[in-house]
Amino acid sequence: MKYKYIVFDFDGVICDSTNECMVTAWNSWQKFNLKEDFRLKGDEFNKDDIKKFRDLRPYVRGASEYYVLMNAIESKIKIKDQKDFDDLKNRWRNSFRNFKTIFFEQREKLRNNNLDYWIDLHFIYQDVIKIIKKLNNEKRLLIATLKDKKSVTLILKECGISIGSKDILDQAKISTKLEALDYFVLKKKVLKEDLCFIDDNITHLIEPHNNNYKVFLSGWGSTLIEHKNKAKTHKIKVIENINEDIF
C-alpha cells in the first residue's frame, strides 16, 4: 500500500457533471440578469449551445466562475486557453461576487424539482466508482471538491457509497485544494507523503505539487490537452486509466 489516503476531486474525476452544470449555470445566469427563463433539462439546449458550454467547462474551477463562462458565451468572446479564461475572470471579478450564491440556490431548486432527473444529469465513471468503493471500505477515501457536499453525498449514495461527512471537504470549507490537503494531513495526523491527490484541472494541482504533495492529473474525462501538456511541464503524472496499482 503506497498511500494511507487517496484524495479525489469530484467533478471530472468521479463523474462528468457537465450537463447538470450547464442547466444550473443557465438558470443562474437568468436569475443574475433578472430573467425567468428557467430550464429543467439538457435537451432544452441546442447542439451549438451544448458544444460552446462543453468546450469552456474544463476551465472552470468553482461555481462563481460560471459567470465568466456564461458571459463569454453571450458576449461571443473567444477563449482559446486557460490564460484567456483567467484574464476574463480577473477583468470581471467585481461583477460576480454573488454569482456563487445564486448558482447553489439554482442547483437546489433544480434538485428539489426532480431528484432522480437531477442525478441522471451526471455521467458516472464506473471504473472510478469501483476503485473508490474499495478505498471507502478500507477507510482510505477522502474527497476535496469545490462542489457542494450535499450533491456529492447524494450522487455517491446513488452509487452505493456512504462516506463520512468529515471525509468530504467542499466549497463551504475550502477555496483551494492545497487548503484541503493541509487540512486532511492535520486531521488524519499523517505526513504529506501518506496521501495522494487526483484532480482533472492542472491549476488545482500545481500548488500542492510545489508544496511536496503527490498529485496526479486524471485524463479519462474531459481533461484539456493544454492541461495535460502543462502537467508534463511540471512533471506531474497524467493517469489516463484508473487502476489500483498507483495506490
Side-chain angles (χ1 to χ4, degrees), residues 75-89:
S75 303
K76 298 182 179 179
I77 297 174
K78 290 188 177 181
I79 295 176
K80 67 178 185 297
D81 55 25
Q82 188 74 56
K83 183 179 183 302
D84 282 353
F85 187 89
D86 291 345
D87 286 345
L88 288 176
K89 176 185 173 182

Side-chain angles (χ1 to χ4, degrees), residues 195-247:
L195 55 78
C196 71
F197 174 50
I198 305 170
D199 201 293
D200 68 314
N201 190 310
I202 187 60
T203 60
H204 286 312
L205 295 173
I206 293 174
E207 192 176 22
H209 174 70
N210 290 341
N211 280 270
N212 300 315
Y213 283 103
K214 183 63 177 180
V215 300
F216 299 99
L217 180 71
S218 65
W220 52 79
S222 301
T223 308
L224 296 165
I225 296 298
E226 169 196 343
H227 284 188
K228 292 182 180 181
N229 291 336
K230 195 167 186 178
K232 293 175 183 177
T233 299
H234 287 270
K235 297 183 179 179
I236 293 172
K237 185 175 180 179
V238 180
I239 309 172
E240 295 293 353
N241 297 291
I242 193 165
N243 61 72
E244 296 180 39
D245 294 342
I246 65 170
F247 306 136

Side-chain angles (χ1 to χ4, degrees), residues 6 57 72 80 96 113 120 123 142 147 154-155 165 181 192 194 202 216 229:
I6 318 299
R57 166 65 183 85
K80 67 178 185 297
F96 58 82
N113 182 74
D120 285 343
F123 177 79
L142 301 171
K147 202 178 187 72
L154 287 170
I155 293 168
S165 179
L181 298 180
K192 288 182 177 182
D194 289 329
I202 187 60
F216 299 99
N229 291 336

Side-chain angles (χ1 to χ4, degrees), residues 1-228:
M1 184 172 66
K2 295 181 181 179
Y3 305 102
K4 291 182 180 178
Y5 295 100
I6 318 299
V7 186
F8 282 80
D9 174 40
F10 194 81
D11 284 348
V13 177
I14 295 176
C15 74
D16 179 354
S17 64
T18 304
N19 288 338
E20 190 274 346
C21 290
M22 179 175 66
V23 178
T24 301
W26 168 269
N27 292 331
S28 302
W29 184 248
Q30 295 299 304
K31 185 72 173 180
F32 185 85
N33 289 288
L34 304 179
K35 299 178 181 178
E36 295 297 332
D37 185 10
F38 187 78
R39 295 182 179 181
L40 296 174
K41 301 179 180 180
D43 58 15
E44 294 182 60
F45 298 82
N46 62 47
K47 290 182 179 180
D48 186 53
D49 289 338
I50 293 171
K51 184 180 186 308
K52 288 176 182 177
F53 190 92
R54 281 196 165 272
D55 286 348
L56 296 181
R57 166 65 183 85
Y59 295 121
V60 174
R61 288 157 296 194
S64 63
E65 294 187 12
Y66 283 104
Y67 172 96
V68 180
L69 185 156
M70 295 303 296
N71 200 359
I73 290 176
E74 183 165 293
S75 303
K76 298 182 179 179
I77 297 174
K78 290 188 177 181
I79 295 176
K80 67 178 185 297
D81 55 25
Q82 188 74 56
K83 183 179 183 302
D84 282 353
F85 187 89
D86 291 345
D87 286 345
L88 288 176
K89 176 185 173 182
N90 291 330
R91 186 197 307 177
W92 294 334
R93 185 176 297 277
N94 293 330
S95 301
F96 58 82
R97 289 182 179 177
N98 66 333
F99 196 80
K100 176 179 176 180
T101 300
I102 295 173
F103 186 90
F104 287 116
E105 288 174 350
Q106 292 303 308
R107 170 171 285 164
E108 185 72 8
K109 181 179 178 181
L110 184 65
R111 186 164 49 210
N112 290 341
N113 182 74
N114 188 326
L115 178 59
D116 290 338
Y117 180 78
W118 177 84
I119 290 177
D120 285 343
L121 285 171
H122 301 79
F123 177 79
I124 308 298
Y125 298 126
Q126 295 299 333
D127 289 347
V128 181
I129 291 296
K130 181 180 177 181
I131 294 290
I132 66 173
K133 275 185 177 179
K134 181 177 183 296
L135 293 171
N136 193 47
N137 290 337
E138 296 171 351
K139 307 298 183 184
R140 298 172 59 209
L141 174 65
L142 301 171
I143 293 176
T145 178
L146 296 182
K147 202 178 187 72
D148 58 291
K149 186 181 293 189
K150 183 175 182 179
S151 292
V152 173
T153 302
L154 287 170
I155 293 168
L156 290 180
K157 182 179 179 182
E158 184 70 14
C159 297
I161 298 172
S162 178
I163 180 173
S165 179
K166 293 182 180 179
D167 291 334
I168 303 174
L169 288 180
D170 72 346
Q171 53 83 31
K173 295 290 186 182
I174 59 169
S175 57
T176 71
K177 301 302 175 67
L178 178 60
E179 287 179 17
L181 298 180
D182 286 343
Y183 176 91
F184 282 136
V185 164
L186 180 64
K187 292 299 180 180
K188 298 297 182 181
K189 298 180 181 179
V190 295
L191 303 174
K192 288 182 177 182
E193 54 264 35
D194 289 329
L195 55 78
C196 71
F197 174 50
I198 305 170
D199 201 293
D200 68 314
N201 190 310
I202 187 60
T203 60
H204 286 312
L205 295 173
I206 293 174
E207 192 176 22
H209 174 70
N210 290 341
N211 280 270
N212 300 315
Y213 283 103
K214 183 63 177 180
V215 300
F216 299 99
L217 180 71
S218 65
W220 52 79
S222 301
T223 308
L224 296 165
I225 296 298
E226 169 196 343
H227 284 188
K228 292 182 180 181

